[in-house]
Amino acid sequence: MVEIKAEPFAFPLRRDKLALIVIDMQRDFAEAGGFGASLGNDVSRITRIVPDVKRLIAGFREAGLPVIHTMECHRPDLSDLPPAKRNRGSPALRIGDEGPMGRVLISGEPGTAILPDLAPIDGEVVIEKPGKGAFYATPLGDILKDLGIEQVVFAGVTTEVCVQTTMREANDRGYECLLAEEATESYFPEFKRAAIAMITAQGAIVGWVASVNAIVEGIAHA
């Protein structure tokens, strides 16, 4: 068995049981004029990780391992958008409103699309999710089961919200979870640090964290 250098201890890689899930690397969260920016966030923190996410995806593709992408979005009629999610706070734009890149977080709109540098290729699964966690109201669980996956590497945004939520969902379902440290980010650096601390506490209670280099090298040499 190959081990990947990780915290709080080495990750026991089972290469033929491994998949990558890239969470919500969408234009609305990463580009000026998108939903994230409309909330007053510094979206440059998200675009900064694109090269590392791209390198991680490339490593999985080269190894012939599954890459799964998620997008947070809703149906055009908003039938899967709870009022509690749409109506909270006083944002400049609400989900479903018309923005500079089309209707905010609506399936098929330009702003909902994955960033071009990280776009899925033919054969890669894309999950449209209405919630923060990628298992809720999606076929992700069945897809992972059909692929025989037991271990999942996570990348994407934001670390403390959609990434951590999906990791916790996966952990509860029995998956071993590994977070790629430079390939995830938050609008708030202290939130990323706190999320990683919570994930890795108490002997990897939710999962492990490792560098992109360690992960890519591990799967290449397994």
Side-chain angles (χ1 to χ4, degrees):
M1 179 184 293
V2 171
E3 292 187 335
I4 293 175
K5 183 180 179 182
E7 294 294 337
F9 53 87
F11 181 79
L13 175 65
R14 295 197 298 278
R15 187 184 184 280
D16 60 339
K17 302 291 184 181
L18 186 71
L20 170 64
I21 300 181
V22 183
I23 304 285
D24 298 359
M25 290 299 295
Q26 297 164 243
R27 295 183 63 201
D28 252 331
F29 297 136
E31 293 185 3
F35 186 50
S38 78
L39 297 174
N41 296 307
D42 176 9
V43 294
S44 70
R45 296 191 57 82
I46 307 305
T47 55
R48 199 176 302 146
I49 70 168
V50 168
D52 286 308
V53 179
K54 186 174 183 178
R55 189 159 54 93
L56 185 63
I57 291 172
F60 270 74
R61 287 172 178 166
E62 289 169 11
L65 296 174
V67 178
I68 297 169
H69 307 259
T70 77
M71 302 188 298
E72 183 178 353
C73 58
H74 296 273
R75 298 171 187 153
D77 65 1
L78 307 185
S79 60
D80 61 352
L81 175 60
K85 182 177 181 180
R86 174 172 162 78
N87 296 333
R88 70 179 184 272
S90 300
L93 291 171
R94 295 187 187 277
I95 296 171
D97 287 352
E98 192 70 37
M101 292 188 285
R103 294 180 69 200
V104 173
L105 295 185
I106 298 300
S107 179
E109 295 289 331
T112 301
I114 293 169
L115 293 166
D117 281 352
L118 307 176
I121 61 174
D122 288 345
E124 291 180 348
V125 173
V126 180
I127 299 287
E128 293 191 354
K129 63 183 185 67
K132 296 172 177 65
F135 286 86
Y136 168 68
T138 79
L140 178 59
D142 290 337
I143 289 167
L144 292 177
K145 188 174 182 179
D146 289 346
L147 291 171
I149 299 302
E150 297 177 3
Q151 299 183 322
V152 183
V153 173
F154 286 92
V157 297
T158 61
T159 312
E160 78 280 5
V161 183
C162 294
V163 175
Q164 182 177 202
T165 300
T166 306
M167 286 189 74
R168 289 178 180 274
E169 289 180 327
N171 175 264
D172 281 346
R173 287 162 172 78
Y175 295 97
E176 293 179 314
C177 303
L178 176 61
L179 180 63
E181 186 167 8
E182 313 96 310
T184 185
E185 193 51 85
S186 170
Y187 297 120
F188 308 95
E190 66 274 21
F191 289 2
K192 176 179 176 177
R193 290 193 295 269
I196 289 174
M198 287 187 279
I199 287 164
T200 59
Q202 301 179 76
I205 191 168
V206 176
W208 291 255
V209 63
S211 70
V212 171
N213 279 346
I215 296 168
V216 170
E217 290 172 7
I219 62 176
H221 294 104

